[in-house]
Amino acid sequence: MAVSQLSPVDAASSDVSGAPALDHDAIIIGAGMSGMYQLHRLRELGLKVRVFEAGSGVGGTWYWNRYPGARFDSESYSYGYSFSPELLAEWDWSEHFAPQPETLRYLNHVADRFDLRRDMRFHSRVTAAHYDEALRGWAVTLEDGSRHTARFLITAIGPLSAPTLPRIPGIESFTGQSCHTARWPHEPVSFAGKRVAVIGTGATGIQTIQEVAKTAATLTIFQRTPNWCAPLHNRPISKDEMATIRAGYPEMFRRCQETFSCFLHTPDPRGTFEVTEAEREAFLEELYASPGFGIWVGNFRDYLVDREANAVVSDFVARKIRQRVKDPAVAEKLIPTNHGFGTRRVPLETRYYEVYNQPNVRLVDLRETPIEAITPAGILTSAGEQAFDMIIYATGFDAITGSFDRIDIRGLDGVQLKESWAGGPQTFLGVMVEGFPNMAMLMGPHTALGNIPRSIEYNVEWVTGLVRHMRDHGLTRADARPEAVAAWTEHVKSIGAGLLSNEVNSWFTGYNSNVDGKQTRIIARYSGSAPDYRAWCDAVAAKGYPELLLD
Ligand code: NA7
């Protein structure tokens, strides 16, 4: 079927039914990993697609997060696209956990290879997207005021793309250099001879700190809440090893489809107390010595729901921190006390704890001495002022719903998405929202995140399948039925019941101390298994989408 039968993009002013013409079949917001792949798939269907991207290039997360030390915490080869055998055949990863510049190169290579840029517009931040029933489509407004219409609106805006600065008085007054990690300059930044402050000790802060500590004259780390970190154990990939990895791709991607969160690691079938103490200790030692997320997502099957089991794992990691940090008082400050291991995203590190043994590094515990202000010269805590040449804000994101909140998205009757999600997101499969016809979310709230590229590919395939179904049946409007949204939202809630991570303030639970209205925890993610998630979605498609109102 030709494009014009799906939507009247070729018509001068109106289609055969008299409806006003649309500029595009689909508008995708964002040229990160999900937007790139969605563009590719929809173009294969013959659709006219436009991607709007705020940045100057492709890559999304890997475009924006160029801070020092940024890299994969998942095995590189499991974190690329799997859809193209040619792409898999031609791309070599240089490290088991690739650094950001390599990943950005990879995504640029993908954009070149599939000629994606010709349908992308950069420097084009979307400020508003309004559904228009007369169009049976969306009108998208850019920062420059221009307006663009399409049948489908596909958000590929990322769960971690709306950076948040701390709400500290005087933040604008600082006269040195300062930067949020997700807005890092494109030019190289030198720390040599500089007095550097880092605020924030999440996964980003940890990667930044271990890098900056190598060259800064002094590095002062402002920590509000310590996180449980574990060793990354990165190493280069030799040519021979890459050949072996390549030969094993089909098997590896099959494994990713079977594991709980699509990672190469998956929970150990044993319960924490089903083994002897010696076996437990040996297993934890093995995990601590192994690369990647194994210690987090490949640990005993019950430790993320059973408090006692969790305490055992936490105690093991606490002992490691005490062994690695020479000053016992500093070690205690680095050991979390308000949440157990694995209940927040576990930052992976390379000699992070050893940084605190360096003479040029100092830890400031904000629970003891809170920041009172940023001053022109530096940072004022309750213990006094310290001068800096540079302040790095590794203070995280308004996660999962934040990127939606920053666009004025309105559905039927002008209802604003932000308003309708004020009490927490309500979705169908994390993809559709009732009252927002023809809008599909990639990596939206209530989807299975896990190994994100794997989840992206599945999400994109599902959305592509829906668009294909509509094209094949001459349908121009899809909305989620309210009962389907209620049932899915309830399912997401019930599946998260009992998870210790849902009792903790973190981006997993949509908590952000720096954003108004985000100081309550919500169920933001689908926390069941990825195979279960796919089974739900596949069943919907196989039945012909009865949960959607299609016409
Ligand atoms: P995170 O994990 O949300 O970490 C943000 C850090 O910044 C965390 O340590 C926060 O402490 C700290 N923070 C935030 N606001 C403040 C203020 N106002 N004062 C002091 N400290 C503050 O974000 P990341 O960028 O590290 O990681 C996000 C994800 O990106 C990561 O999990 C990966 O999946 C990739 P808090 O814990 O709130 O006390």
Side-chain angles (χ1 to χ4, degrees):
M1 178 175 282
V3 175
S4 56
Q5 285 171 274
L6 173 75
S7 68
V9 290
D10 295 323
S13 59
S14 70
D15 71 1
V16 284
S17 67
L22 294 158
D23 302 323
H24 308 280
D25 293 318
I27 288 177
I28 299 170
I29 313 177
M33 260 195 113
S34 52
M36 291 168 68
Y37 186 43
Q38 186 68 78
L39 167 64
H40 177 64
R41 280 295 186 227
L42 291 184
R43 270 198 334 207
E44 282 181 338
L45 288 186
L47 266 61
K48 185 179 174 192
V49 187
R50 171 70 78 219
V51 176
F52 291 118
E53 163 60 49
S56 63
V58 299
T61 288
W62 302 104
Y63 168 91
W64 293 104
N65 288 273
R66 334 176 154 239
Y67 61 85
R71 65 172 64 247
F72 285 158
D73 280 343
S74 294
E75 290 75 3
S76 312
Y77 29 90
S78 76
Y79 229 58
Y81 291 111
S82 72
F83 69 90
S84 163
E86 297 78 20
L87 180 59
L88 290 169
E90 70 201 12
W91 185 263
D92 284 356
W93 293 103
S94 71
E95 296 180 47
H96 282 264
F97 301 90
Q100 174 271 337
E102 181 169 340
T103 304
L104 187 57
R105 267 200 312 281
Y106 167 75
L107 292 171
N108 274 288
H109 170 73
V110 174
D112 290 340
R113 179 175 226 300
F114 297 100
D115 190 18
L116 298 179
R117 288 191 193 82
R118 76 179 143 90
D119 289 319
M120 294 178 164
R121 244 186 81 174
F122 298 103
H123 304 289
S124 298
R125 183 173 290 283
V126 172
T127 55
H130 294 179
Y131 180 74
D132 182 334
E133 189 67 65
L135 290 176
R136 290 192 152 227
W138 286 83
V140 165
T141 309
L142 306 184
E143 214 163 28
D144 65 9
S146 62
R147 186 173 173 275
H148 310 263
T149 57
R151 176 75 71 224
F152 296 100
L153 174 70
I154 300 177
T155 64
I157 52 184
L160 293 159
S161 59
T164 46
L165 286 167
R167 297 195 281 196
I168 305 173
I171 198 161
E172 299 301 332
S173 70
F174 182 60
T175 52
Q177 271 180 292
S178 64
C179 189
H180 190 286
T181 45
R183 290 292 176 269
W184 200 261
H186 290 212
E187 304 72 42
V189 175
S190 166
F191 308 105
K194 291 188 183 149
R195 300 160 300 171
V196 182
V198 174
I199 302 179
T201 50
T204 301
I206 292 335
Q207 289 187 333
T208 305
I209 289 162
Q210 63 200 21
E211 196 58 34
V212 175
K214 291 176 184 166
T215 52
T218 66
L219 170 61
T220 308
I221 295 132
F222 293 84
Q223 171 189 269
R224 188 165 66 181
T225 311
N227 282 301
W228 296 101
C229 311
L232 175 67
H233 296 299
N234 188 24
R235 62 185 172 81
I237 298 175
S238 69
K239 232 177 156 43
D240 285 352
E241 202 176 2
M242 191 62 228
T244 308
I245 289 167
R246 183 170 286 120
Y249 268 141
E251 166 62 18
M252 189 206 69
F253 286 122
R254 191 187 55 71
R255 177 169 168 74
C256 288
Q257 291 303 298
E258 289 171 357
T259 59
F260 192 90
S261 324
C262 302
F263 289 116
L264 293 175
H265 317 273
T266 204
D268 191 275
R270 298 168 300 170
T272 309
F273 301 110
E274 288 169 8
V275 297
T276 65
E277 199 179 331
E279 285 168 334
R280 199 157 53 232
E281 191 73 7
F283 179 55
L284 293 174
E285 284 289 356
E286 184 190 319
L287 289 175
Y288 201 78
S290 305
F293 277 142
I295 194 164
W296 182 27
V297 295
N299 214 312
F300 291 112
R301 67 169 156 75
D302 53 356
Y303 94 104
L304 294 174
V305 290
D306 178 322
R307 274 172 227 289
E308 281 179 44
N310 189 275
V312 167
V313 177
S314 299
D315 175 64
F316 173 87
V317 181
R319 279 185 275 133
K320 290 290 182 194
I321 297 171
R322 290 188 187 107
Q323 284 164 14
R324 293 175 58 185
V325 178
K326 283 191 188 140
D327 181 335
V330 174
E332 290 315 308
K333 288 187 208 297
L334 291 167
I335 296 173
T337 52
N338 70 344
H339 68 282
F341 183 85
T343 63
R344 290 173 133 200
R345 201 285 209 176
V346 174
L348 296 186
E349 45 84 23
T350 304
R351 299 189 59 74
Y352 170 65
Y353 289 109
E354 286 72 14
V355 157
Y356 294 94
N357 301 332
Q358 292 181 205
N360 63 333
V361 174
R362 192 165 84 88
L363 177 65
V364 175
D365 187 339
L366 298 178
R367 293 166 300 183
E368 292 171 0
T369 54
I371 297 178
E372 294 180 346
I374 306 290
T375 64
I379 297 178
L380 175 69
T381 70
S382 59
E385 186 181 7
Q386 196 181 338
F388 293 106
D389 302 306
M390 190 186 294
I391 301 177
I392 300 174
Y393 296 102
T395 44
F397 301 88
D398 184 0
I400 301 184
T401 54
S403 47
F404 290 88
D405 293 349
R406 291 184 184 199
I407 301 172
D408 177 25
I409 300 175
R410 289 174 193 265
L412 290 171
D413 304 321
V415 171
Q416 201 179 28
L417 186 66
K418 186 177 175 181
E419 293 299 315
S420 60
W421 282 359
Q426 319 248 340
T427 77
F428 178 57
L429 306 178
V431 178
M432 308 284 293
V433 184
E434 184 211 346
F436 295 78
N438 296 355
M439 180 179 91
M441 303 179 291
L442 301 173
M443 293 294 91
H446 295 175
T447 42
L449 297 176
N451 177 334
I452 287 187
R454 304 281 65 76
S455 305
I456 285 173
E457 284 190 337
Y458 181 76
N459 239 202
V460 166
E461 297 298 351
W462 194 89
V463 170
T464 307
L466 172 62
V467 173
R468 186 189 302 114
H469 175 87
M470 292 176 69
R471 180 196 67 178
D472 291 349
H473 294 83
L475 302 164
T476 51
R477 188 180 186 281
D479 197 3
R481 293 181 191 273
E483 59 275 20
V485 169
W488 177 255
T489 303
E490 193 45 46
H491 173 62
V492 172
K493 277 187 189 148
S494 67
I495 214 152
L499 269 183
L500 299 175
S501 57
N502 282 338
E503 301 171 10
V504 177
N505 295 343
S506 78
W507 72 260
F508 280 1
T509 49
Y511 187 95
N512 189 312
S513 66
N514 303 311
V515 181
D516 284 335
K518 300 256 170 133
Q519 282 90 54
T520 46
R521 291 195 288 271
I522 58 164
I523 302 294
R525 303 172 301 145
Y526 175 82
S527 50
S529 80
D532 284 352
Y533 175 77
R534 291 195 300 268
W536 267 80
C537 298
D538 287 348
V540 170
K543 285 180 292 175
Y545 309 94
E547 291 88 347
L548 303 182
L549 274 165
L550 291 169
D551 57 36

